[in-house]
Amino acid sequence: MAFAADSSGVIAVDVPPAGVAMRTFYIANSVTVTLASTDSASVPDSLRMPGETVYRGPGRVTGVVRTGLDNSPLPDVRLTVLGTGLTVTSNAKGEFALNELPLGTQMLTAHKVGYVPADAAVDILADAPGRAELVLPTIKSVMDTVKVVASRVYDADRNGFLSRQKLGFGHFFSADQVARIAPVETTDLLRRVPSVLITDNGFEHTVLMHGALGYCSPAVYVDGTAVTGMTPDDLDMMVLPEAVAGMEVYTSAVDAPPQFQIAQNGCGVIVVWTQATRKPKPQP
């Protein structure tokens, strides 16, 4: 939402299947800051990642994160307001606070390995900090409710995997190809796709695609459903390599099929299909 020089963040709004949803947006002016690339100085200029443009301001957000199991406080959750480059970790009581945020309506996201990512729209005003309470269900609790009848989700090409593969747009990995490659982690498949970069800042991994306007974060779909804010670590935890029935990677927004552009953010798309049978991950 924007008007003249003022704007809000980009947020998701849930609309009932039969009805409407009303949401007040607060807009304000923000400061633009360019963060220097963290690449090593030994990296050639042609391969070095460009600096990241982020938004800052005098705003503040506080809140608490709880687990969906028993509503108890959840520590060590990574929280960020999209577009700011600022990250904080919840304490032992599940509490957190983020400062130097742009004012207006912004999107707060929360991630923790083993839990389904969550997000919440927060209103950050000049005279009052934003406040949010988030609940993260475990991935196990969510996956236990899923029942798949077919041996593969695209048996008889019911989801169009083979048809899209024949068109020649994007990069495809079938279950047989995944078995031959034998990746250690599911995201290892992405390392084989040109224009896809997986970075590690020592805290978490990030998937980037090199588009026409520079590096950007792709949308992610699992079994046809868009998953907001999923990191490579989340995807590796949620889908083991032996559970991958197929993967589609579109490094260009133009090549992505229409059904995978609902969550499109102007970047590419990663689509993962899973097998009915999931084997437990071996313990070290």
Side-chain angles (χ1 to χ4, degrees), residues 15-80:
V15 180
V20 297
M22 297 183 63
R23 196 3 167 135
T24 300
F25 283 80
Y26 292 87
I27 60 176
N29 204 345
S30 58
V31 177
T32 301
V33 178
T34 300
L35 303 180
S37 171
T38 57
D39 288 355
S40 169
S42 62
V43 177
D45 291 342
S46 61
L47 299 178
R48 188 171 301 167
M49 291 178 59
E52 179 184 7
T53 300
V54 298
Y55 300 94
R56 300 291 170 82
R60 174 180 170 85
V61 168
T62 63
V64 63
V65 187
R66 302 182 185 278
T67 175
L69 292 175
D70 54 10
N71 208 38
S72 61
L74 189 60
D76 301 322
V77 178
R78 302 189 309 275
L79 299 110
T80 185

Side-chain angles (χ1 to χ4, degrees), residues 140-161:
K140 184 177 184 300
S141 68
V142 174
M143 299 311 298
D144 283 348
T145 63
V146 176
K147 294 183 179 180
V148 182
V149 177
S151 60
R152 295 181 182 176
V153 298
Y154 56 86
D155 281 350
D157 203 28
R158 61 183 300 181
N159 285 302
F161 180 93

Side-chain angles (χ1 to χ4, degrees), residues 17-18 53 57 62 64 71 76 80 91 102 115 126 135 138 150 164 187 238 270 273:
T53 300
T62 63
V64 63
N71 208 38
D76 301 322
T80 185
N91 62 20
Y115 291 80
V135 177
T138 63
R164 290 189 294 273
T187 52
M238 186 175 186
I270 298 171
W273 303 102

Side-chain angles (χ1 to χ4, degrees), residues 10-22:
V10 177
I11 69 168
V13 178
D14 293 328
V15 180
V20 297
M22 297 183 63

Side-chain angles (χ1 to χ4, degrees), residues 4 7 63 71 73 77 135 137 161 163 167 171 177 198 213 279-280:
S7 65
N71 208 38
V77 178
V135 177
F161 180 93
S163 298
L167 292 177
H171 301 265
Q177 290 173 312
I198 299 181
L213 300 179
K279 300 177 183 179

